[in-house]
Amino acid sequence: MASHPLIAHARQQGRTLLTELESKQVLHDLGIPTALGQLATSDDEAVRLADAMGYPVVLKIASPDIVHKSDVGGVRLHLQHGAEVRQAFHAMQQSVATHAPEARVDGIIVQPMAAPGVEVIVGMSKDATFGPVLMFGLGGVLVEVLKDVAFRIVPLTPHDAAEMIREIQGLPLLTGYRGATPADLQALQDILLKLSAFVAETPEVHEIDLNPIHAYAQGALAVDARVVLEATPAST
Ligand code: ADP
Ligand code: MG
């Protein structure tokens, strides 16, 4: 199968890192729900996009050189109206110029603010022995500090997907801890299986990071995404 046009496009430009927008578009086209956004190159354009999208919105820096956007002041959440968007647009430009002066900046992404959910992460990396493996865990501090994650080798069976979600220590956070509404585990399994199929047929993908995905009582939504390609194109 031919790879996604955005993968070919990045290749042509000699890039291995797909932007957040490109990564989300690729995932969206696989049937994985993502909080897509649009690129603004001026404050007026950002406000226009936000007005059309509806509030609240999120602004994010769009740069091929910045992987961790929050670290450089490149994520602003909960923006409620045009004046806030305009102010955040300029504050973000300044902050990024200070913290990442060398970074090329394509513009600033405007995207809808996703409803809160349980934050989970899904990743794909390549193991020297096993090849592509998928990882599932709870987002934020649980992954960073406690390494509470599960792995399975690609391709995943539906049983693998169901099992890996259920083996993390933090499972109660997804199944209705202290009366909370349980998360839609089927939606998370579906994301794992779609990614597995994609990875199995796209050897030129080196790494995938969906961090975080908001898990809801019904459905789930990837609010950040990163796809990294192999340095040398896979021979086909
Ligand atoms: P980073 O590059 O720093 O990982 P993210 O895009 O993950 O940037 O944004 C940082 C945090 O902001 C996320 O972990 C998530 O909690 C929150 N966030 C990002 N985008 C959205 C969104 N569209 N809706 C709601 N929350 C968001
Ligand atoms: Mg992130």
Side-chain angles (χ1 to χ4, degrees):
M1 200 188 107
S3 70
H4 193 285
L6 287 174
I7 293 180
H9 175 70
R11 275 254 176 272
Q12 273 161 14
Q13 296 188 337
R15 286 187 287 129
T16 54
L17 180 66
L18 301 200
T19 66
E20 178 181 334
L21 281 180
E22 290 170 332
S23 302
K24 283 180 168 173
Q25 188 66 53
V26 170
L27 296 164
H28 171 85
D29 294 344
L30 295 172
I32 294 174
T34 63
L36 282 170
Q38 286 176 274
L39 191 68
T41 53
S42 70
D43 57 354
D44 283 340
E45 195 182 5
V47 172
R48 217 165 33 241
L49 289 171
D51 285 347
M53 224 169 261
Y55 293 89
V57 298
V58 173
L59 294 192
K60 292 187 192 177
I61 198 70
S63 163
D65 302 315
I66 297 172
V67 173
H68 301 291
K69 299 173 291 287
S70 308
D71 293 354
V72 296
V75 178
R76 298 288 298 266
L77 308 171
H78 299 289
L79 304 173
Q80 303 290 352
H81 49 74
E84 280 189 7
V85 169
R86 200 177 293 279
Q87 190 273 333
F89 187 97
H90 292 291
M92 183 172 293
Q93 276 186 326
Q94 279 213 332
S95 174
V96 171
T98 305
H99 294 102
E102 306 293 317
R104 293 165 289 174
V105 172
D106 295 336
I108 289 178
I109 302 167
V110 184
Q111 64 185 233
M113 176 85 199
V118 181
E119 292 201 350
V120 304
I121 71 171
V122 168
M124 186 283 284
S125 59
K126 287 185 171 169
D127 181 87
T129 307
F130 301 113
V133 287
L134 284 189
M135 186 264 280
F136 175 81
L138 289 169
V141 76
L142 287 164
V143 152
E144 283 158 27
V145 181
L146 301 177
K147 311 280 185 240
D148 180 20
V149 292
F151 293 93
R152 287 295 183 283
I153 299 170
V154 170
L156 270 67
T157 64
H159 182 71
D160 288 332
E163 225 179 36
M164 71 190 287
I165 291 171
R166 285 165 182 84
E167 79 185 34
I168 59 168
Q169 303 282 315
L171 180 64
L173 294 174
L174 289 172
T175 52
Y177 179 67
R178 291 200 170 165
T181 316
D184 185 347
L185 301 189
Q186 190 63 52
L188 299 176
Q189 279 167 227
D190 192 56
I191 291 174
L192 289 166
L193 290 173
K194 282 177 172 153
L195 270 186
S196 169
F198 170 63
V199 166
E201 72 187 15
T202 319
E204 63 202 299
V205 174
H206 176 66
E207 203 177 281
I208 300 174
D209 220 352
L210 306 193
N211 183 5
I213 297 170
H214 285 195
Y216 299 123
Q218 282 183 4
L221 188 66
V223 303
D224 187 21
R226 186 160 63 97
V227 173
V228 185
L229 305 177
E230 296 288 359
T232 47
S235 52
T236 41

